Amino acid sequence: MPVPMPENTTAPQLLPLGADALIVRFSLMPDPGANAAAQAFCRALEAADMPGLVEIVPSLASAMVRFDPGQVARAQVLAGLERLLRGTDWAQVTPPPATRRWTIPAAFGGEFGPQLGEAATLAGLSESRAIEELCSVGLRVLAIGFAPGQPYLGLLPAHWNIARQSALTPLVPEGALVVAVRQVVLFANASMTGWRQAGQCAFRLFRPDEAEPFPLRIGDELRFEAVAHGEFRAIQASDDGGAHVARCEALT
Amino acid sequence: MSARLDIQSAGPGLCVQDLGRPGHLASGLSRGGAADRLALFEAAALLGLDRVQAGLEMAGMGGEFSVSRPMRFALTGAPMAASIDGAALRWQASHRLEPGQVLRIGGAKSGVFGYLTPAGGVATKPVLGSRSAHLAVGLGALLRGGDSLPLGADPAADAAAMHLPVADRFCGGNLRFMAGPQTALFGPEVLAAFQATEFVRSATGNRQGVRLEHAGAPFSAATEGIASDLIMPGDIQMTGDGVPYVLLSECQTTGGYARIGTVIAADLGRIAQAPPGARLRFSLLSLAEADAAFRPEAGLIASLRKSVQPLLRNPHDLADLLSYQLISGVVAGDEE
């Protein structure tokens, strides 16, 4: 008999991940407050400069802390993390302000977003209203994963809490802009997916040979700018296919 | 002419691997690197190197190789039938290949991943700090016949051939694991049943992970819709159909499947090297036991060096026996 799902507890849990890492879990289920807490916690941990820590990574509702057991024992790391966690009511933390705002052109619907209509209907909106909402909300990068540089963006308003498809779309192109569960994902590579494709971007998310291989970071703000299909095709036909077409503003 | 390793023919899973590119989990790029990391450390110990060098990972079978300059190299990982111009080579050993000779490496006799490591290392241009191919994200690629790789300089080109006795991790067996972030979701009866089960490594597997099969009921935990979080090589994911999948070096950075635990680092080589059909069992270590079993990679080459021995050749195998000076220091006996 499987154990019944524990209720979401507001107290963060410290759990082992192999002999040299820990997960600090703010919520078992996806939860916007937990995402804010994870990001805030990682910033605080970076600032605390604890000895022996090798890598600090926020994700959707938790953070991973990797340490060097040759330098510091698990008990010491736990003690340090517990000290840091104790000072704050993590259930009340708001997302740390974004330090950068990206504006990225996107084509919606038609050949670039074959499931825009479906997604809009599920969200109770017309297609044009759906595009407006996707472009007007200042989305934040909540997590990066599945592929290098691939962002999970959110959160859209509550009526966008639409389910993933039961049958997978065999292939969406690199740059596909897909929606489900109040989030938007941009695919870093052509991929199979259960999310519905509403649009497409040309901006390249992973550039291994450039000085900045991963342009987007967790916490960045991102706004889509709807462009007509003709203009998007022109971007795709340009020298680098639109790989760098985006504005990035620093925010204080 | 610079030192090069020429691929005359390549097996289906031939690629350059080193210890991967750590430090990019926040950007969605997992460390990757050799599926059996220990094999690269064993190669470094055999070659008398002070750090791991990039070599060729050979999945299933190797290929045929030649060189432009004499090359010392090590053969580690899954034992494969290897020969130079038809003369058989010992595995878990270092050898020398001369220009004009052909090194042939056939199919694995046990295990999955063999490693051919040049003493100077493969010297291709690193990308994001590593020479490893990361096939799942399109960094590097499988090697093919006709490819040619630059090699680094051998720091000890005249060193003698060596051999390293290695415990057999190439036929499945017992995998020690530790509790992970979602172990508590599985309950004590499921954990007990998991450890009482004999699993078989299925035919489904690659550098991202391997699927295990078993007779009997699927393992389940009520874990639909949990938030994805960071995942690691060694993590034992319980997929939707209740079948375990053990993650290997090229796994993704995040995942939403519940994990029953994590195979400890010391046994990662055993799961990576389990061939299709290999039998496996899991046993749960306490946190203290798992921490005690952890060997930081920092001291590993030095520790392996203690077991490295000269490779003694059978005189019957030596075609040029008469050219060896086996006795020296003979005196007439009437010196002052």
Side-chain angles (χ1 to χ4, degrees):
Chain A
M1 272 299 270
V3 172
M5 282 284 240
E7 283 173 32
N8 257 350
T9 165
T10 50
Q13 292 184 281
L14 289 165
L15 303 153
L17 183 65
D20 63 350
L22 289 157
I23 293 280
V24 183
R25 186 160 72 204
F26 294 91
S27 169
L28 186 61
M29 309 298 281
D31 177 81
N35 186 262
Q39 289 186 42
F41 176 76
C42 288
R43 289 205 193 176
L45 189 53
E46 301 264 7
D49 206 17
M50 278 170 50
L53 299 193
V54 174
E55 203 170 3
I56 298 168
V57 186
S59 65
L60 205 59
S62 63
M64 185 218 65
V65 181
R66 198 158 64 84
F67 61 96
D68 177 2
Q71 220 189 311
V72 70
R74 176 188 297 279
Q76 256 175 281
V77 177
L78 280 171
L81 296 181
E82 279 162 2
R83 241 188 332 266
L84 191 60
L85 286 167
R86 231 173 294 144
T88 303
D89 181 357
W90 297 96
Q92 301 303 321
V93 159
T94 53
T99 53
R100 303 190 304 178
R101 173 187 294 137
W102 294 87
T103 307
I104 300 182
F108 289 94
E111 73 188 84
F112 300 112
Q115 292 156 310
L116 172 66
E118 253 178 56
T121 303
L122 286 168
L125 305 167
S126 66
E127 281 190 26
S128 57
R129 181 69 197 146
I131 295 171
E132 264 173 46
E133 288 196 359
L134 288 170
C135 294
S136 64
V137 178
L139 298 167
R140 299 289 294 274
V141 179
L142 304 175
I144 294 187
F146 188 80
Q150 177 156 322
Y152 287 72
L153 306 160
L155 287 170
L156 295 167
H159 50 272
W160 283 94
N161 191 19
I162 67 180
R164 293 175 184 80
Q165 304 169 108
S166 38
L168 299 177
T169 305
L171 202 67
V172 297
E174 177 189 334
L177 189 166
V178 300
V179 295
V181 297
R182 298 184 65 184
Q183 292 173 45
V184 179
V185 171
L186 286 181
F187 268 99
N189 305 293
S191 179
M192 176 180 287
T193 183
W195 296 50
R196 288 182 170 83
Q197 187 185 356
Q200 193 171 336
C201 296
F203 184 66
R204 189 167 307 134
L205 299 163
F206 175 41
R207 306 92 174 272
D209 299 317
E210 293 182 23
E212 267 284 15
F214 314 100
L216 297 182
R217 292 177 213 150
I218 294 187
D220 282 351
E221 188 185 300
L222 193 152
R223 286 176 183 264
F224 293 113
E225 187 174 67
V227 298
H229 290 191
E231 189 184 334
F232 190 74
R233 279 187 212 104
I235 289 172
Q236 287 181 310
S238 67
D239 274 349
D240 67 352
H244 298 87
V245 174
R247 279 199 309 283
C248 181
E249 309 158 53
L251 306 170
T252 24
Chain B
M1 176 192 308
S2 59
R4 300 198 72 86
L5 175 62
D6 295 318
I7 321 273
Q8 307 295 339
S9 71
L14 186 69
C15 59
V16 177
Q17 291 298 334
D18 56 23
L19 295 176
R21 33 184 82 79
H24 300 294
L25 294 179
S27 302
L29 177 61
S30 61
R31 181 179 65 178
D36 179 2
R37 296 168 74 83
L38 181 56
L40 289 183
F41 285 94
E42 289 164 342
L46 278 164
L47 295 164
L49 308 175
D50 56 12
R51 55 186 190 86
V52 164
Q53 289 286 6
L56 297 187
E57 180 178 270
M58 307 176 284
M61 64 165 283
E64 294 177 332
F65 309 91
S66 60
V67 289
S68 61
R69 291 222 208 126
M71 177 185 78
R72 268 197 327 139
F73 63 98
L75 296 173
T76 55
M80 295 171 159
S83 61
I84 292 180
D85 288 352
L89 293 182
R90 198 145 164 212
W91 207 261
Q92 317 297 358
S94 62
H95 303 282
R96 186 184 311 272
L97 183 66
E98 301 290 337
Q101 295 179 322
V102 178
L103 167 63
R104 284 184 181 82
I105 301 180
K109 297 183 236 174
S110 60
V112 178
F113 297 99
Y115 293 84
L116 161 59
T117 306
V122 173
T124 48
K125 180 165 173 272
V127 174
L128 285 164
S130 165
R131 297 181 165 101
S132 285
H134 192 130
L135 305 171
V137 306
L139 290 177
L142 290 174
L143 296 167
R144 309 234 179 274
D147 287 343
S148 175
L149 299 170
L151 299 179
D154 184 343
D158 294 324
M162 305 301 272
H163 162 63
L164 175 65
V166 157
D168 187 349
R169 62 181 184 274
F170 308 109
C171 56
N174 186 51
L175 298 169
R176 293 164 295 172
F177 76 108
M178 60 187 286
Q182 290 115 21
T183 303
L185 301 178
F186 287 85
E189 301 91 12
V190 176
L191 268 178
F194 185 71
Q195 293 178 79
T197 301
E198 183 178 79
F199 291 90
V200 171
R201 198 277 208 197
S202 79
T204 307
N206 56 27
R207 285 175 45 77
Q208 292 186 291
V210 296
R211 189 183 149 96
L212 304 181
E213 286 161 352
H214 67 283
F219 295 94
S220 59
T223 54
E224 274 298 308
I226 59 175
S228 35
D229 59 1
L230 274 287
I231 61 183
M232 291 291 162
D235 277 354
I236 308 160
Q237 286 185 327
M238 216 47 92
T239 59
D241 50 2
V243 169
Y245 187 83
V246 183
L247 299 180
L248 295 182
S249 69
E250 238 176 68
C251 63
Q252 293 170 310
T253 54
T254 57
Y257 288 118
R259 293 159 278 166
I260 197 164
T262 307
V263 174
I264 68 169
D267 286 352
L268 265 184
R270 185 176 298 277
I271 179 64
Q273 293 285 14
R279 295 176 210 264
L280 297 153
R281 279 184 187 272
F282 291 90
S283 53
L284 181 63
L285 300 188
S286 69
L287 200 51
E289 288 168 336
D291 285 348
F294 184 78
R295 270 186 308 182
E297 288 184 343
L300 196 45
I301 296 177
S303 150
L304 289 166
R305 275 256 192 91
K306 296 177 192 159
S307 307
V308 168
Q309 305 159 1
L311 178 63
L312 300 172
R313 296 163 70 191
N314 187 334
H316 290 283
D317 297 335
L318 292 168
D320 54 352
L321 182 57
L322 290 176
S323 72
Y324 279 77
Q325 177 153 306
L326 297 171
I327 306 169
S328 67
V330 174
V331 298
D334 58 0
E335 285 83 7
E336 224 358 68

